[in-house]
Amino acid sequence: MDLMNHPYSYADKIKMKIKQLAESYKEKQFFNLVDKDLIFTDETYILPQEIIPSKAISGLPKSLYEKEEGKMDGYELSVINDVANLENVEFWTRNMERTKGFCINGFINHYPDFIIKTKKGKIVILETKGDHLDAEKKIKLGNLWASKAGNNYKYCLVYKERKVDGAYTKSEFIDLIKAW
């Protein structure tokens, strides 16, 4: 009887369940193909010669471009400022979102926040997350990408203080990148 009185709420629940099952299936199939070595990484992304940010930020040291995309929250700005002031960082850049930027393709499409190059030649892909946000799928995909890409590539999802398997706190990340 409740179904007859509230058909839209039941329709929404059914749609959500179908979406959840489809996402779960997609993730399972992706990792199945990875295990069979049918999915691999390939160096195809090239940083653009120049960017035209919609909202520019400048003044941070070691930026790859004269002006970087300025759509950063306070935590992102804090992390990249600390990174930019490290001795061993050659440059950093804000990853352009969606169709223009670097994307880790998998069971989700993940556009990390920053690309960093160290003086030792390590490319560090950095995603920052507030402690209140969950990002387990990004962590799982990013760490898999790094393991397939090779020793010169690192993926780091960084929370301010939250401890999550496969991710780092800000202080852990800063200590780690100093060695790269």
Side-chain angles (χ1 to χ4, degrees):
M1 190 60 134
D2 195 44
L3 174 62
M4 302 273 293
N5 293 331
H6 302 96
Y8 294 110
S9 66
Y10 278 93
D12 288 342
K13 288 179 183 179
I14 292 168
K15 286 178 189 176
M16 279 182 22
K17 185 63 177 180
I18 291 170
K19 183 179 178 185
Q20 176 190 13
L21 290 169
E23 287 175 1
S24 177
Y25 178 79
K26 185 169 45 171
E27 183 175 348
K28 184 179 177 184
Q29 292 304 307
F30 173 78
F31 282 101
N32 184 26
L33 293 172
V34 168
D35 289 344
K36 293 177 180 176
D37 284 332
L38 297 173
I39 293 180
F40 52 91
T41 60
D42 194 14
E43 294 184 31
T44 58
Y45 184 75
I46 299 171
L47 289 166
Q49 290 295 317
E50 65 178 29
I51 60 169
I52 304 171
S54 58
K55 185 177 181 185
I57 187 170
S58 59
L60 290 176
K62 301 179 187 165
S63 168
L64 181 60
Y65 303 104
E66 186 176 317
K67 293 181 180 178
E68 292 283 345
E69 182 64 45
K71 293 181 184 178
M72 289 188 222
D73 64 32
Y75 179 59
E76 289 173 326
L77 190 56
S78 167
V79 172
I80 203 60
N81 184 54
D82 287 355
V83 167
N85 283 291
L86 293 174
E87 278 285 316
N88 69 317
V89 169
E90 185 175 326
F91 70 80
W92 67 272
T93 187
R94 175 89 167 140
N95 188 30
M96 302 299 284
E97 295 182 15
R98 300 292 172 227
T99 60
K100 300 176 190 173
F102 170 77
C103 178
I104 301 174
N105 300 94
F107 59 96
I108 59 171
N109 289 329
H110 175 24
Y111 293 84
D113 296 325
F114 299 100
I115 300 170
I116 303 160
K117 184 175 181 193
T118 68
K119 290 180 180 175
K120 290 182 180 178
K122 301 287 186 194
I123 303 296
V124 181
I125 304 301
L126 172 62
E127 173 75 4
T128 58
K129 281 286 172 230
D131 286 352
H132 64 289
L133 298 170
D134 292 324
E136 281 75 12
K137 289 183 184 242
K138 288 182 177 182
I139 294 167
K140 192 173 184 180
L141 181 62
N143 288 336
L144 174 67
W145 171 84
S147 74
K148 293 286 189 178
N151 198 42
N152 284 330
Y153 298 91
K154 305 293 184 188
Y155 174 85
C156 297
L157 190 133
V158 177
Y159 286 106
K160 188 173 187 177
E161 296 176 359
R162 183 177 172 192
K163 296 280 191 179
V164 176
D165 284 344
Y168 303 94
T169 63
K170 180 182 174 187
S171 62
E172 290 170 338
F173 171 69
I174 295 300
D175 285 343
L176 196 57
I177 195 171
K178 288 176 184 178
W180 293 335

